[in-house]
């Protein structure tokens, strides 16, 4: 809990539209960084055991793909353009929380920059859920002195 205390947080259940989802899979999205990694966390609003598919975090410069089989992590990868590589540091906790650490050097971001990202839940090539429904999240990475002061992962 405490390592995420000063992280950025988005409530994914708020859609801002009259056509709200009946039961969204994701509840919250968190992000933060330290000197070498950018951390992402997705809290599911129900058990991930129902999901066999991909959880994808897309940004203009990279894509993180977490492959799940009945909620269990069966692989992860980082893609930049045509380059793909396996990515370590991914965990599924209590069947409802996904956490991933992506090296800042691998995603080619530095402190103080802003990411424009989308999260999608896909199954057999079909998008089940997308966050936000339209546009992108703007995820500000703290400058290095803020990261050292606030982030504790």
């Amino acid at each position: 809990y405490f390592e995420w205390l000063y992280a950025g947080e988005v409530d994914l259940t708020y859609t801002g539209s009259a056509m709200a989802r009946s039961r969204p899979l994701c509840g919250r999205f968190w992000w933060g960084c330290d000197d070498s990694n950018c951390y992402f966390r997705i809290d599911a609003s129900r058990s991930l055991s129902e999901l066999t598919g991909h959880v994808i975090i897309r940004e203009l410069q990279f894509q993180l793909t977490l492959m799940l089989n009945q909620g269990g992590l069966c692989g992860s990868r980082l893609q930049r353009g045509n380059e793909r590589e396996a990515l370590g540091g991914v965990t599924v906790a209590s069947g409802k929380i996904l956490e991933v650490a992506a090296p800042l050097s691998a995603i080619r971001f530095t402190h103080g920059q802003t990411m424009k990202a989308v999260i999608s839940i896909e199954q057999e090539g079909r998008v089940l859920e997308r966050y936000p429904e339209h546009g992108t999240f703007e995820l500000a990475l703290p400058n290095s002195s803020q990261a050292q002061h606030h982030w504790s992962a």
Side-chain angles (χ1 to χ4, degrees):
Y1 169 79
F2 290 109
E3 68 269 16
W4 291 99
L5 189 62
Y6 293 107
E9 177 186 4
V10 176
D11 180 353
L12 299 175
T13 61
Y14 176 75
T15 62
S17 76
M19 299 297 290
R21 295 182 187 102
S22 60
R23 197 172 156 221
L25 179 63
C26 299
R28 296 205 177 278
F29 174 61
W30 307 72
W31 75 94
C33 62
D34 60 18
D35 287 338
S36 54
N37 292 301
C38 187
Y39 300 92
F40 301 101
R41 172 178 156 176
I42 297 172
D43 294 0
S45 53
R46 58 185 195 262
S47 175
L48 291 169
S49 64
E50 302 170 28
L51 181 64
T52 296
H54 297 151
V55 176
I56 301 171
I57 301 171
R58 285 188 180 95
E59 209 280 335
L60 295 173
Q61 296 182 47
F62 67 88
Q63 176 176 301
L64 293 172
T65 303
L66 310 176
M67 293 150 274
L68 301 175
N69 185 359
Q70 295 180 333
L73 186 68
C74 60
S76 61
R77 74 172 172 258
L78 171 65
Q79 182 173 343
R80 289 181 317 269
N82 293 328
E83 300 173 41
R84 287 185 180 188
E85 64 184 74
L87 189 66
V90 181
T91 59
V92 178
S94 304
K96 292 181 87 174
I97 298 172
L98 282 170
E99 293 183 348
V100 59
L104 287 169
S105 60
I107 62 174
R108 298 184 180 145
F109 268 87
T110 60
H111 295 283
Q113 288 184 302
T114 299
M115 295 181 186
K116 294 186 177 196
V118 170
I119 302 167
S120 65
I121 312 298
E122 299 182 8
Q123 193 171 46
E124 297 177 4
R126 195 182 65 171
V127 176
L128 301 178
E129 296 183 14
R130 181 188 190 278
Y131 305 97
E133 288 183 26
H134 306 284
T136 60
F137 292 120
E138 292 197 12
L139 313 176
L141 298 181
N143 66 41
S144 58
S145 65
Q146 289 171 323
Q148 289 173 0
H149 179 70
H150 292 301
W151 189 253
S152 61

